[in-house]
Amino acid sequence: MATNPYQKYQQTSINTATPAELTMMLYNGCLKFISIAKQAIEQGEVAKRNENMQKAQNIIQEFMVTLNQEVELSSDLLRIYDYVWRTLVDANTRNDLTALKEAESIIMDLRNTWKEMMLEQKKPQMVGSEQS
């Protein structure tokens, strides 16, 4: 059986990604599933909407269960993720495009914040190397 080169590349990307990169992939995946679900709502495709909403919900649940509870920020993130998860469930059960867009906006903000954090981590640390 021939292996699809794109699938092989994707698998390699996942296997070699840092935890920060995996988190970014999950945020991007969640946004992708929300986008597909939005199109499905607009086109009246109930099964497609439900499938992609459940995928987005599963990603949010993964974020919730993998939070490091020893980090102070985790309790705030847990509340945000819980709100987003409940909003996605509500959007799915009520076929509510407005609720879905609200969840998407929050995930987009979280993803963008994560991206900024990753960029900051990549900057060279200049502590102690400055001269007066």
Side-chain angles (χ1 to χ4, degrees):
M1 181 168 113
T3 303
N4 178 330
Y6 178 71
Q7 287 176 334
K8 188 171 183 174
Y9 170 78
Q10 275 188 312
Q11 191 61 47
T12 300
S13 296
I14 291 168
N15 290 339
T16 60
T18 66
E21 291 167 336
L22 287 172
T23 299
M24 181 59 76
M25 288 177 191
L26 286 171
Y27 278 130
N28 288 334
C30 188
L31 289 168
K32 176 183 122 182
F33 296 133
I34 287 172
S35 178
I36 294 169
K38 281 186 351 187
Q39 290 175 338
I41 287 174
E42 292 166 349
Q43 297 170 355
E45 298 178 53
V46 176
K48 186 175 181 181
R49 177 206 74 216
N50 183 54
E51 176 185 346
N52 286 282
M53 293 285 270
Q54 286 183 3
K55 289 178 181 180
Q57 292 166 25
N58 289 341
I59 289 172
I60 298 302
Q61 282 183 316
E62 184 66 21
F63 283 140
M64 292 170 73
V65 299
T66 59
L67 279 173
N68 180 350
Q69 296 301 321
E70 294 177 15
V71 176
E72 188 176 329
L73 180 63
S74 292
S75 62
D76 294 333
L77 277 172
L78 183 60
R79 283 193 291 276
I80 293 168
Y81 289 143
D82 182 59
Y83 177 77
V84 169
W85 184 82
R86 286 183 289 112
T87 302
L88 288 170
V89 169
D90 190 47
N92 194 14
T93 57
R94 294 186 311 135
N95 203 35
D96 186 344
L97 194 54
T98 302
L100 184 55
K101 288 179 181 179
E102 179 182 0
E104 178 183 44
S105 175
I106 295 168
I107 294 300
M108 183 78 71
D109 288 345
L110 289 168
R111 195 270 319 257
N112 291 342
T113 300
W114 190 259
K115 184 177 181 178
E116 284 297 315
M117 184 277 310
M118 288 177 66
L119 291 173
E120 285 296 317
Q121 293 293 319
K122 288 184 180 182
K123 285 184 181 178
Q125 298 299 319
M126 300 294 283
V127 177
S129 64
E130 297 148 4
Q131 295 180 1
S132 299

mmCIF file of all heavy atoms in Angstrom, residues 25-49:
data_model
loop_
_atom_site.group_PDB
_atom_site.id
_atom_site.type_symbol
_atom_site.label_atom_id
_atom_site.label_comp_id
_atom_site.label_asym_id
_atom_site.label_seq_id
_atom_site.Cartn_x
_atom_site.Cartn_y
_atom_site.Cartn_z
ATOM 1 N N MET A 25 -0.895 23.764 16.787
ATOM 2 C CA MET A 25 -1.585 22.900 15.821
ATOM 3 C C MET A 25 -3.019 22.627 16.277
ATOM 4 O O MET A 25 -3.946 22.613 15.454
ATOM 5 C CB MET A 25 -0.843 21.573 15.653
ATOM 6 C CG MET A 25 0.449 21.668 14.904
ATOM 7 S SD MET A 25 1.236 20.021 14.866
ATOM 8 C CE MET A 25 2.846 20.429 14.246
ATOM 9 N N LEU A 26 -3.202 22.417 17.573
ATOM 10 C CA LEU A 26 -4.547 22.169 18.093
ATOM 11 C C LEU A 26 -5.433 23.407 17.946
ATOM 12 O O LEU A 26 -6.597 23.296 17.558
ATOM 13 C CB LEU A 26 -4.493 21.715 19.553
ATOM 14 C CG LEU A 26 -4.007 20.293 19.775
ATOM 15 C CD1 LEU A 26 -3.774 20.027 21.260
ATOM 16 C CD2 LEU A 26 -5.000 19.285 19.205
ATOM 17 N N TYR A 27 -4.891 24.569 18.279
ATOM 18 C CA TYR A 27 -5.668 25.802 18.079
ATOM 19 C C TYR A 27 -6.061 25.948 16.608
ATOM 20 O O TYR A 27 -7.216 26.243 16.296
ATOM 21 C CB TYR A 27 -4.876 27.038 18.515
ATOM 22 C CG TYR A 27 -4.916 27.318 19.992
ATOM 23 C CD1 TYR A 27 -3.741 27.537 20.698
ATOM 24 C CD2 TYR A 27 -6.119 27.411 20.688
ATOM 25 C CE1 TYR A 27 -3.757 27.820 22.061
ATOM 26 C CE2 TYR A 27 -6.150 27.682 22.045
ATOM 27 C CZ TYR A 27 -4.969 27.893 22.728
ATOM 28 O OH TYR A 27 -4.990 28.172 24.070
ATOM 29 N N ASN A 28 -5.109 25.744 15.712
ATOM 30 C CA ASN A 28 -5.397 25.867 14.286
ATOM 31 C C ASN A 28 -6.419 24.830 13.823
ATOM 32 O O ASN A 28 -7.300 25.127 13.019
ATOM 33 C CB ASN A 28 -4.112 25.769 13.461
ATOM 34 C CG ASN A 28 -3.256 27.012 13.601
ATOM 35 O OD1 ASN A 28 -3.744 28.102 13.884
ATOM 36 N ND2 ASN A 28 -1.957 26.855 13.404
ATOM 37 N N GLY A 29 -6.298 23.614 14.336
ATOM 38 C CA GLY A 29 -7.269 22.573 13.998
ATOM 39 C C GLY A 29 -8.663 22.932 14.480
ATOM 40 O O GLY A 29 -9.650 22.764 13.757
ATOM 41 N N CYS A 30 -8.738 23.445 15.689
ATOM 42 C CA CYS A 30 -10.032 23.850 16.242
ATOM 43 C C CYS A 30 -10.669 24.920 15.369
ATOM 44 O O CYS A 30 -11.861 24.838 15.036
ATOM 45 C CB CYS A 30 -9.845 24.347 17.677
ATOM 46 S SG CYS A 30 -11.389 24.671 18.556
ATOM 47 N N LEU A 31 -9.882 25.906 14.979
ATOM 48 C CA LEU A 31 -10.400 26.970 14.111
ATOM 49 C C LEU A 31 -10.829 26.427 12.746
ATOM 50 O O LEU A 31 -11.831 26.870 12.173
ATOM 51 C CB LEU A 31 -9.358 28.076 13.950
ATOM 52 C CG LEU A 31 -9.129 28.919 15.207
ATOM 53 C CD1 LEU A 31 -7.890 29.789 15.052
ATOM 54 C CD2 LEU A 31 -10.363 29.757 15.535
ATOM 55 N N LYS A 32 -10.093 25.455 12.240
ATOM 56 C CA LYS A 32 -10.454 24.833 10.957
ATOM 57 C C LYS A 32 -11.804 24.122 11.075
ATOM 58 O O LYS A 32 -12.679 24.291 10.219
ATOM 59 C CB LYS A 32 -9.369 23.837 10.539
ATOM 60 C CG LYS A 32 -9.679 23.070 9.269
ATOM 61 C CD LYS A 32 -8.604 22.053 8.967
ATOM 62 C CE LYS A 32 -9.230 20.694 8.896
ATOM 63 N NZ LYS A 32 -8.304 19.614 8.649
ATOM 64 N N PHE A 33 -11.992 23.354 12.147
ATOM 65 C CA PHE A 33 -13.257 22.635 12.326
ATOM 66 C C PHE A 33 -14.422 23.602 12.536
ATOM 67 O O PHE A 33 -15.525 23.365 12.039
ATOM 68 C CB PHE A 33 -13.160 21.639 13.479
ATOM 69 C CG PHE A 33 -12.150 20.544 13.232
ATOM 70 C CD1 PHE A 33 -11.227 20.204 14.211
ATOM 71 C CD2 PHE A 33 -12.093 19.870 12.022
ATOM 72 C CE1 PHE A 33 -10.289 19.207 13.996
ATOM 73 C CE2 PHE A 33 -11.161 18.870 11.791
ATOM 74 C CZ PHE A 33 -10.255 18.544 12.780
ATOM 75 N N ILE A 34 -14.171 24.697 13.232
ATOM 76 C CA ILE A 34 -15.217 25.705 13.422
ATOM 77 C C ILE A 34 -15.586 26.329 12.071
ATOM 78 O O ILE A 34 -16.762 26.530 11.778
ATOM 79 C CB ILE A 34 -14.768 26.773 14.441
ATOM 80 C CG1 ILE A 34 -14.778 26.178 15.854
ATOM 81 C CG2 ILE A 34 -15.662 28.012 14.374
ATOM 82 C CD1 ILE A 34 -14.165 27.085 16.921
ATOM 83 N N SER A 35 -14.592 26.605 11.259
ATOM 84 C CA SER A 35 -14.846 27.183 9.932
ATOM 85 C C SER A 35 -15.690 26.243 9.070
ATOM 86 O O SER A 35 -16.638 26.671 8.406
ATOM 87 C CB SER A 35 -13.512 27.487 9.243
ATOM 88 O OG SER A 35 -13.726 28.006 7.964
ATOM 89 N N ILE A 36 -15.354 24.965 9.099
ATOM 90 C CA ILE A 36 -16.128 23.975 8.335
ATOM 91 C C ILE A 36 -17.550 23.895 8.879
ATOM 92 O O ILE A 36 -18.522 23.825 8.119
ATOM 93 C CB ILE A 36 -15.438 22.593 8.366
ATOM 94 C CG1 ILE A 36 -14.097 22.655 7.625
ATOM 95 C CG2 ILE A 36 -16.347 21.519 7.759
ATOM 96 C CD1 ILE A 36 -13.218 21.433 7.823
ATOM 97 N N ALA A 37 -17.688 23.939 10.207
ATOM 98 C CA ALA A 37 -19.013 23.890 10.824
ATOM 99 C C ALA A 37 -19.841 25.118 10.444
ATOM 100 O O ALA A 37 -21.053 25.005 10.212
ATOM 101 C CB ALA A 37 -18.886 23.774 12.340
ATOM 102 N N LYS A 38 -19.206 26.277 10.382
ATOM 103 C CA LYS A 38 -19.924 27.497 9.960
ATOM 104 C C LYS A 38 -20.470 27.334 8.546
ATOM 105 O O LYS A 38 -21.632 27.654 8.279
ATOM 106 C CB LYS A 38 -18.996 28.718 10.020
ATOM 107 C CG LYS A 38 -18.811 29.267 11.395
ATOM 108 C CD LYS A 38 -18.007 30.557 11.490
ATOM 109 C CE LYS A 38 -17.304 31.047 10.286
ATOM 110 N NZ LYS A 38 -16.422 32.198 10.532
ATOM 111 N N GLN A 39 -19.642 26.832 7.647
ATOM 112 C CA GLN A 39 -20.093 26.606 6.268
ATOM 113 C C GLN A 39 -21.239 25.602 6.242
ATOM 114 O O GLN A 39 -22.204 25.769 5.487
ATOM 115 C CB GLN A 39 -18.944 26.101 5.403
ATOM 116 C CG GLN A 39 -17.883 27.129 5.126
ATOM 117 C CD GLN A 39 -16.694 26.542 4.356
ATOM 118 O OE1 GLN A 39 -16.457 25.340 4.374
ATOM 119 N NE2 GLN A 39 -15.945 27.411 3.693
ATOM 120 N N ALA A 40 -21.134 24.567 7.066
ATOM 121 C CA ALA A 40 -22.186 23.546 7.107
ATOM 122 C C ALA A 40 -23.505 24.134 7.606
ATOM 123 O O ALA A 40 -24.570 23.787 7.083
ATOM 124 C CB ALA A 40 -21.748 22.379 7.992
ATOM 125 N N ILE A 41 -23.444 25.026 8.594
ATOM 126 C CA ILE A 41 -24.670 25.685 9.066
ATOM 127 C C ILE A 41 -25.288 26.496 7.936
ATOM 128 O O ILE A 41 -26.488 26.428 7.687
ATOM 129 C CB ILE A 41 -24.379 26.581 10.293
ATOM 130 C CG1 ILE A 41 -24.117 25.721 11.539
ATOM 131 C CG2 ILE A 41 -25.544 27.543 10.553
ATOM 132 C CD1 ILE A 41 -23.671 26.516 12.762
ATOM 133 N N GLU A 42 -24.445 27.264 7.262
ATOM 134 C CA GLU A 42 -24.931 28.115 6.171
ATOM 135 C C GLU A 42 -25.525 27.292 5.025
ATOM 136 O O GLU A 42 -26.438 27.750 4.336
ATOM 137 C CB GLU A 42 -23.794 29.001 5.654
ATOM 138 C CG GLU A 42 -23.358 30.046 6.671
ATOM 139 C CD GLU A 42 -22.028 30.714 6.350
ATOM 140 O OE1 GLU A 42 -21.306 30.239 5.437
ATOM 141 O OE2 GLU A 42 -21.705 31.701 7.025
ATOM 142 N N GLN A 43 -25.013 26.073 4.830
ATOM 143 C CA GLN A 43 -25.493 25.220 3.741
ATOM 144 C C GLN A 43 -26.519 24.188 4.205
ATOM 145 O O GLN A 43 -26.958 23.361 3.408
ATOM 146 C CB GLN A 43 -24.301 24.532 3.081
ATOM 147 C CG GLN A 43 -23.342 25.519 2.433
ATOM 148 C CD GLN A 43 -22.034 24.894 1.992
ATOM 149 O OE1 GLN A 43 -21.761 23.725 2.236
ATOM 150 N NE2 GLN A 43 -21.189 25.687 1.353
ATOM 151 N N GLY A 44 -26.876 24.222 5.464
ATOM 152 C CA GLY A 44 -27.883 23.304 5.988
ATOM 153 C C GLY A 44 -27.433 21.855 6.070
ATOM 154 O O GLY A 44 -28.255 20.945 6.024
ATOM 155 N N GLU A 45 -26.132 21.624 6.197
ATOM 156 C CA GLU A 45 -25.589 20.268 6.277
ATOM 157 C C GLU A 45 -25.422 19.874 7.753
ATOM 158 O O GLU A 45 -24.363 20.067 8.349
ATOM 159 C CB GLU A 45 -24.258 20.188 5.544
ATOM 160 C CG GLU A 45 -24.375 20.492 4.060
ATOM 161 C CD GLU A 45 -23.037 20.448 3.355
ATOM 162 O OE1 GLU A 45 -22.338 19.422 3.495
ATOM 163 O OE2 GLU A 45 -22.697 21.428 2.678
ATOM 164 N N VAL A 46 -26.455 19.290 8.300
ATOM 165 C CA VAL A 46 -26.513 18.991 9.726
ATOM 166 C C VAL A 46 -25.426 18.001 10.157
ATOM 167 O O VAL A 46 -24.736 18.216 11.162
ATOM 168 C CB VAL A 46 -27.918 18.459 10.116
ATOM 169 C CG1 VAL A 46 -27.967 18.060 11.580
ATOM 170 C CG2 VAL A 46 -28.975 19.508 9.803
ATOM 171 N N ALA A 47 -25.254 16.928 9.430
ATOM 172 C CA ALA A 47 -24.265 15.904 9.814
ATOM 173 C C ALA A 47 -22.850 16.475 9.778
ATOM 174 O O ALA A 47 -22.046 16.231 10.694
ATOM 175 C CB ALA A 47 -24.372 14.688 8.906
ATOM 176 N N LYS A 48 -22.548 17.238 8.749
ATOM 177 C CA LYS A 48 -21.217 17.845 8.626
ATOM 178 C C LYS A 48 -20.989 18.855 9.751
ATOM 179 O O LYS A 48 -19.895 18.935 10.312
ATOM 180 C CB LYS A 48 -21.084 18.515 7.257
ATOM 181 C CG LYS A 48 -19.718 19.049 6.943
ATOM 182 C CD LYS A 48 -19.684 19.587 5.515
ATOM 183 C CE LYS A 48 -18.329 20.117 5.140
ATOM 184 N NZ LYS A 48 -18.329 20.646 3.755
ATOM 185 N N ARG A 49 -22.003 19.643 10.063
ATOM 186 C CA ARG A 49 -21.906 20.604 11.159
ATOM 187 C C ARG A 49 -21.608 19.879 12.455
ATOM 188 O O ARG A 49 -20.679 20.215 13.177
ATOM 189 C CB ARG A 49 -23.202 21.402 11.300
ATOM 190 C CG ARG A 49 -23.173 22.383 12.487
ATOM 191 C CD ARG A 49 -24.542 22.695 13.038
ATOM 192 N NE ARG A 49 -25.046 21.559 13.793
ATOM 193 C CZ ARG A 49 -26.313 21.187 13.832
ATOM 194 N NH1 ARG A 49 -27.232 21.835 13.140
ATOM 195 N NH2 ARG A 49 -26.688 20.159 14.556
#
